Amino acid sequence: MVLKIVQAGEPVLRQKARDLTPEEIGSPEIQRLIVLMRDTMRDAPGVGLAAPQVGVGLRLVVVEDRAEYQAGVSPSDLADRERTPVPFHVLINPRLTVEDATPAEFHEGCLSVAGFAALVARARGVRVDALDEQGRPVTIRATGWYARILQHELDHLDGTLYVDRMETRSFATAENHRRYWAGRTTAEVRAALGLAPGREKSST
């Protein structure tokens, strides 16, 4: 069973989600929600899913960047993005701290803004302090693509979508992104769009 992923315009995507209580974390309802979110993320497929994206205003995120998702990406692009597989995990009541503010700019999409992509600059390195699905404290330090995923998903918990952070001139349908921009460096994309040079080497 998978859940419906709500799309831009749904009020829940623009509201600040609330923390879960310890009692809620251990409840059958939340444990079932975690399983359904995992299955929904994999079905999409996506590399992350926040509870507001399935219409639930709670500070709960699931993340997984499977090796199979990276199979069609060239080794040089994976290196540019600092992208490696990330095992499935759950983050509850997460708090994000930027540890390396160096901007990394790549194309980004979202399951709740289906069918589009745009250049988005994110911090290269972050730390996330959260609870896991059993309510135990966890700390994650991430760089590169993993850090991007975390920033994207935690934005959802505060009612922020990537379109709020994107380079607006780069906004494109997913089909046109694949047709015109996939495989081109961020510098090439920015030049083609008449944008000032950025600081990152590549784009998705």
Side-chain angles (χ1 to χ4, degrees):
M1 177 180 172
V2 297
L3 301 170
K4 177 185 177 182
I5 297 176
V6 301
Q7 295 298 306
E10 288 280 351
V12 67
L13 291 173
R14 290 310 197 173
Q15 296 163 356
K16 187 177 179 67
R18 71 166 179 84
D19 281 348
L20 284 82
T21 66
E23 294 74 24
E24 286 177 312
I25 294 171
S27 70
E29 293 79 12
I30 294 300
Q31 292 301 308
R32 176 167 171 72
L33 175 61
I34 290 170
V35 171
L36 289 173
M37 286 176 60
R38 179 199 65 195
D39 293 347
T40 301
M41 173 180 64
R42 289 174 175 173
D43 179 73
V47 296
L49 191 67
Q53 293 183 270
V54 293
V56 181
L58 296 174
R59 299 188 76 82
L60 167 62
V61 166
V62 296
V63 172
E64 182 181 47
D65 192 2
R66 307 175 94 170
E68 64 196 70
Y69 300 160
Q70 303 172 24
V73 184
S74 72
S76 63
D77 283 352
L78 289 174
D80 283 344
R81 289 162 183 71
E82 299 181 88
R83 184 176 179 184
T84 56
V86 176
F88 175 80
H89 61 95
V90 178
L91 297 171
I92 296 173
N93 303 342
R95 300 292 182 267
L96 183 142
T97 304
V98 172
E99 292 196 323
D100 181 352
T102 304
E105 186 178 49
F106 299 100
H107 273 93
E108 196 170 298
C110 179
L111 297 176
S112 290
V113 189
F116 296 92
L119 289 174
V120 181
R122 300 279 187 184
R124 180 180 173 272
V126 300
R127 184 186 81 238
V128 174
D129 297 291
L131 303 174
D132 67 11
E133 64 270 32
Q134 297 181 23
R136 300 172 300 196
V138 293
T139 296
I140 293 171
R141 282 185 164 84
T143 56
W145 203 258
Y146 186 13
R148 173 175 297 272
I149 294 169
L150 293 172
Q151 290 169 83
H152 179 114
E153 298 307 329
L154 269 61
D155 265 356
H156 277 300
L157 306 183
D158 293 325
T160 298
L161 298 175
Y162 84 86
V163 294
D164 302 322
R165 302 186 184 279
M166 71 180 178
E167 178 61 69
T168 54
R169 285 182 63 84
S170 70
F171 190 62
T173 64
E175 180 182 351
N176 281 338
H177 169 251
R178 287 189 294 270
R179 181 181 301 167
Y180 299 111
W181 310 117
R184 300 180 68 175
T185 67
T186 295
E188 290 171 341
V189 173
R190 295 186 71 87
L193 294 173
L195 296 167
R199 296 179 58 184
E200 198 50 39
K201 294 185 296 183
S202 184
S203 69
T204 56

Short mmCIF file of all heavy atoms in Angstrom, two decimals, residues 29-55:
data_model
loop_
_atom_site.label_atom_id
_atom_site.label_comp_id
_atom_site.label_asym_id
_atom_site.label_seq_id
_atom_site.Cartn_x
_atom_site.Cartn_y
_atom_site.Cartn_z
N GLU A 29 0.21 3.78 15.29
CA GLU A 29 -0.16 4.65 14.18
C GLU A 29 1.08 5.26 13.51
O GLU A 29 1.19 5.27 12.28
CB GLU A 29 -1.09 5.77 14.67
CG GLU A 29 -2.46 5.32 15.12
CD GLU A 29 -2.45 4.71 16.53
OE1 GLU A 29 -1.43 4.86 17.25
OE2 GLU A 29 -3.46 4.08 16.90
N ILE A 30 2.01 5.75 14.33
CA ILE A 30 3.21 6.36 13.76
C ILE A 30 4.13 5.30 13.17
O ILE A 30 4.74 5.51 12.10
CB ILE A 30 3.95 7.20 14.81
CG1 ILE A 30 3.11 8.40 15.22
CG2 ILE A 30 5.32 7.65 14.29
CD1 ILE A 30 2.76 9.35 14.08
N GLN A 31 4.23 4.16 13.82
CA GLN A 31 5.07 3.09 13.26
C GLN A 31 4.52 2.62 11.91
O GLN A 31 5.29 2.34 10.98
CB GLN A 31 5.14 1.92 14.24
CG GLN A 31 5.91 2.25 15.53
CD GLN A 31 7.34 2.68 15.26
OE1 GLN A 31 8.08 1.98 14.56
NE2 GLN A 31 7.76 3.79 15.83
N ARG A 32 3.20 2.58 11.77
CA ARG A 32 2.60 2.21 10.48
C ARG A 32 2.83 3.32 9.46
O ARG A 32 3.12 3.04 8.29
CB ARG A 32 1.11 1.95 10.66
CG ARG A 32 0.39 1.66 9.35
CD ARG A 32 -0.99 1.08 9.56
NE ARG A 32 -1.77 1.00 8.33
CZ ARG A 32 -1.56 0.14 7.35
NH1 ARG A 32 -0.58 -0.74 7.45
NH2 ARG A 32 -2.33 0.13 6.27
N LEU A 33 2.73 4.58 9.89
CA LEU A 33 2.98 5.70 8.98
C LEU A 33 4.39 5.64 8.42
O LEU A 33 4.61 5.88 7.23
CB LEU A 33 2.75 7.03 9.71
CG LEU A 33 3.07 8.30 8.91
CD1 LEU A 33 2.20 8.40 7.65
CD2 LEU A 33 2.90 9.54 9.79
N ILE A 34 5.37 5.30 9.26
CA ILE A 34 6.76 5.20 8.81
C ILE A 34 6.89 4.14 7.71
O ILE A 34 7.54 4.37 6.68
CB ILE A 34 7.69 4.88 10.00
CG1 ILE A 34 7.79 6.10 10.93
CG2 ILE A 34 9.07 4.44 9.51
CD1 ILE A 34 8.49 5.82 12.24
N VAL A 35 6.27 2.99 7.92
CA VAL A 35 6.32 1.91 6.92
C VAL A 35 5.66 2.36 5.62
O VAL A 35 6.20 2.14 4.52
CB VAL A 35 5.65 0.64 7.45
CG1 VAL A 35 5.51 -0.41 6.35
CG2 VAL A 35 6.45 0.07 8.62
N LEU A 36 4.52 3.03 5.72
CA LEU A 36 3.81 3.50 4.53
C LEU A 36 4.60 4.57 3.80
O LEU A 36 4.63 4.61 2.56
CB LEU A 36 2.43 4.02 4.91
CG LEU A 36 1.41 2.96 5.35
CD1 LEU A 36 0.15 3.61 5.87
CD2 LEU A 36 1.09 2.01 4.20
N MET A 37 5.26 5.46 4.56
CA MET A 37 6.09 6.49 3.94
C MET A 37 7.28 5.86 3.22
O MET A 37 7.65 6.28 2.12
CB MET A 37 6.55 7.52 4.97
CG MET A 37 5.45 8.47 5.41
SD MET A 37 5.99 9.62 6.72
CE MET A 37 7.34 10.50 5.89
N ARG A 38 7.89 4.87 3.83
CA ARG A 38 9.00 4.16 3.18
C ARG A 38 8.54 3.54 1.87
O ARG A 38 9.18 3.70 0.83
CB ARG A 38 9.54 3.08 4.11
CG ARG A 38 10.69 2.26 3.52
CD ARG A 38 10.87 0.94 4.25
NE ARG A 38 9.69 0.08 4.05
CZ ARG A 38 9.43 -1.00 4.78
NH1 ARG A 38 10.22 -1.34 5.78
NH2 ARG A 38 8.35 -1.73 4.52
N ASP A 39 7.41 2.84 1.91
CA ASP A 39 6.90 2.18 0.71
C ASP A 39 6.50 3.19 -0.36
O ASP A 39 6.69 2.95 -1.56
CB ASP A 39 5.72 1.28 1.06
CG ASP A 39 6.13 0.10 1.94
OD1 ASP A 39 7.34 -0.15 2.07
OD2 ASP A 39 5.23 -0.56 2.50
N THR A 40 5.94 4.32 0.05
CA THR A 40 5.53 5.36 -0.87
C THR A 40 6.74 6.00 -1.54
O THR A 40 6.76 6.24 -2.75
CB THR A 40 4.70 6.43 -0.15
OG1 THR A 40 3.54 5.81 0.43
CG2 THR A 40 4.26 7.54 -1.09
N MET A 41 7.79 6.27 -0.75
CA MET A 41 9.03 6.84 -1.27
C MET A 41 9.64 5.90 -2.31
O MET A 41 10.06 6.33 -3.40
CB MET A 41 10.02 7.09 -0.14
CG MET A 41 11.41 7.51 -0.59
SD MET A 41 12.56 7.79 0.80
CE MET A 41 12.66 6.12 1.51
N ARG A 42 9.69 4.61 -2.00
CA ARG A 42 10.28 3.65 -2.93
C ARG A 42 9.44 3.49 -4.18
O ARG A 42 9.97 3.29 -5.27
CB ARG A 42 10.46 2.31 -2.23
CG ARG A 42 11.57 2.33 -1.17
CD ARG A 42 11.63 1.03 -0.40
NE ARG A 42 12.76 1.02 0.53
CZ ARG A 42 12.98 0.05 1.43
NH1 ARG A 42 12.15 -0.99 1.50
NH2 ARG A 42 14.03 0.12 2.23
N ASP A 43 8.14 3.57 -4.04
CA ASP A 43 7.25 3.41 -5.18
C ASP A 43 7.36 4.57 -6.15
O ASP A 43 7.20 4.40 -7.36
CB ASP A 43 5.80 3.27 -4.69
CG ASP A 43 4.81 3.11 -5.82
OD1 ASP A 43 4.78 2.03 -6.43
OD2 ASP A 43 4.06 4.08 -6.09
N ALA A 44 7.65 5.77 -5.64
CA ALA A 44 7.61 6.99 -6.47
C ALA A 44 8.48 6.93 -7.74
O ALA A 44 7.98 7.26 -8.81
CB ALA A 44 7.88 8.22 -5.62
N PRO A 45 9.78 6.59 -7.72
CA PRO A 45 10.64 6.48 -6.54
C PRO A 45 11.26 7.83 -6.21
O PRO A 45 11.36 8.72 -7.06
CB PRO A 45 11.72 5.51 -7.01
CG PRO A 45 11.87 5.83 -8.47
CD PRO A 45 10.49 6.24 -8.96
N GLY A 46 11.66 7.96 -4.94
CA GLY A 46 12.34 9.17 -4.50
C GLY A 46 13.42 8.82 -3.50
O GLY A 46 13.52 7.67 -3.06
N VAL A 47 14.22 9.82 -3.14
CA VAL A 47 15.32 9.59 -2.19
C VAL A 47 14.99 10.14 -0.80
O VAL A 47 15.78 10.01 0.12
CB VAL A 47 16.64 10.22 -2.69
CG1 VAL A 47 17.08 9.52 -3.98
CG2 VAL A 47 16.48 11.71 -2.93
N GLY A 48 13.81 10.73 -0.67
CA GLY A 48 13.39 11.24 0.63
C GLY A 48 11.91 11.58 0.57
O GLY A 48 11.36 11.83 -0.50
N LEU A 49 11.27 11.55 1.74
CA LEU A 49 9.85 11.90 1.82
C LEU A 49 9.57 12.43 3.22
O LEU A 49 9.97 11.81 4.22
CB LEU A 49 8.98 10.68 1.54
CG LEU A 49 7.49 10.94 1.34
CD1 LEU A 49 7.22 11.72 0.05
CD2 LEU A 49 6.71 9.62 1.31
N ALA A 50 8.91 13.57 3.28
CA ALA A 50 8.54 14.18 4.56
C ALA A 50 7.05 13.99 4.78
O ALA A 50 6.26 13.97 3.83
CB ALA A 50 8.89 15.67 4.54
N ALA A 51 6.66 13.85 6.05
CA ALA A 51 5.26 13.59 6.37
C ALA A 51 4.29 14.60 5.74
O ALA A 51 3.22 14.20 5.27
CB ALA A 51 5.08 13.53 7.89
N PRO A 52 4.62 15.90 5.70
CA PRO A 52 3.68 16.82 5.05
C PRO A 52 3.39 16.47 3.59
O PRO A 52 2.33 16.81 3.07
CB PRO A 52 4.40 18.17 5.15
CG PRO A 52 5.22 18.06 6.40
CD PRO A 52 5.71 16.63 6.38
N GLN A 53 4.31 15.77 2.93
CA GLN A 53 4.10 15.39 1.54
C GLN A 53 3.03 14.32 1.36
O GLN A 53 2.53 14.11 0.25
CB GLN A 53 5.41 14.91 0.91
CG GLN A 53 6.45 15.99 0.76
CD GLN A 53 7.69 15.47 0.05
OE1 GLN A 53 8.61 14.98 0.70
NE2 GLN A 53 7.70 15.55 -1.27
N VAL A 54 2.68 13.65 2.46
CA VAL A 54 1.56 12.70 2.41
C VAL A 54 0.40 13.24 3.25
O VAL A 54 -0.47 12.49 3.71
CB VAL A 54 1.98 11.29 2.88
CG1 VAL A 54 2.96 10.69 1.88
CG2 VAL A 54 2.59 11.30 4.27
N GLY A 55 0.41 14.57 3.44
CA GLY A 55 -0.72 15.24 4.09
C GLY A 55 -0.73 15.21 5.59
O GLY A 55 -1.76 15.53 6.20
#
